Amino acid sequence: MSEEVYWQVINAKKAHRKWIGYAQLLIERGEVDEEMVPTNETECCFGQWYYSEGQQLIDIPVFKEIGLVHEQLHAKYNEIFAILFREEESGLFAKLFGKKTKVSDEDLMKAKSKCHELNTLSHQLTDKINLLIKEMKLKEA
């Protein structure tokens, strides 16, 4: 593999870390915009790399495992997102002017408990990316 591909993987890993950081801020404090943490696995920076340039690594077995864990990660985040941003029955003016209802303490606790699962999946993804890097280096040797 070329050095360029190696750096693509490193940058994809950094993009995932940035995404998970934003997700954690959103869950813990609600301090980032919803748009900063895409829910779809093909819309985040890591997913954009994985489903485009990353496909050149498809012959490395752990690459497919990375895709599966990445999908699981976004599925878990979607569960959390649904808790935090569920549509409340609100009037037309509230929708027009973007009035946001406050997340209940119960819902916030549910979201935070799922955050542990999200972090576990994030660590699994990072571990698999590290394994991908090792396998890339072995192929070069």
Side-chain angles (χ1 to χ4, degrees):
M1 296 289 152
S2 71
E3 190 169 327
E4 178 184 346
V5 176
Y6 170 79
W7 286 109
Q8 285 178 2
V9 175
I10 296 297
N11 288 331
K13 182 178 169 183
K14 287 179 186 177
H16 167 69
R17 286 183 180 160
K18 186 174 183 178
W19 180 90
I20 198 70
Y22 284 141
Q24 289 169 336
L25 278 174
L26 180 65
I27 295 162
E28 290 296 320
R29 297 182 288 214
E31 290 186 0
V32 295
D33 294 330
E34 296 172 39
E35 294 81 29
M36 292 181 75
V37 190
T39 56
N40 187 309
E41 69 267 8
T42 61
E43 294 174 358
C44 69
C45 291
F46 179 85
Q48 290 173 359
W49 167 81
Y50 183 86
Y51 294 105
S52 60
E53 295 96 356
Q55 291 299 301
Q56 62 191 309
L57 302 172
I58 201 158
D59 292 335
I60 301 175
V62 74
F63 184 79
K64 291 177 185 173
E65 294 174 26
I66 288 170
L68 294 173
V69 174
H70 185 239
E71 288 175 19
Q72 293 170 351
L73 179 89
H74 278 274
K76 184 58 61 184
Y77 179 70
N78 278 319
E79 291 175 24
I80 296 167
F81 189 88
I83 293 168
L84 294 176
F85 294 103
R86 74 176 81 194
E87 292 279 328
E88 296 291 330
E89 292 182 24
S90 56
L92 175 64
F93 288 109
K95 289 180 183 176
L96 285 175
F97 295 109
K99 184 178 179 187
K100 186 176 171 188
T101 52
K102 187 177 184 317
V103 177
S104 72
D105 290 340
E106 181 181 337
D107 283 347
L108 191 56
M109 290 303 294
K110 285 180 191 175
K112 286 181 180 183
S113 71
K114 289 185 179 285
C115 188
H116 175 72
E117 298 169 48
L118 186 74
N119 286 328
T120 299
L121 288 165
S122 176
H123 289 298
Q124 288 175 8
L125 182 65
T126 301
D127 290 345
K128 290 191 181 299
I129 294 169
N130 290 338
L131 185 57
L132 175 66
I133 292 167
K134 287 179 185 177
E135 289 186 21
M136 288 171 59
K137 288 180 180 180
L138 286 175
K139 277 192 162 195
E140 285 182 5

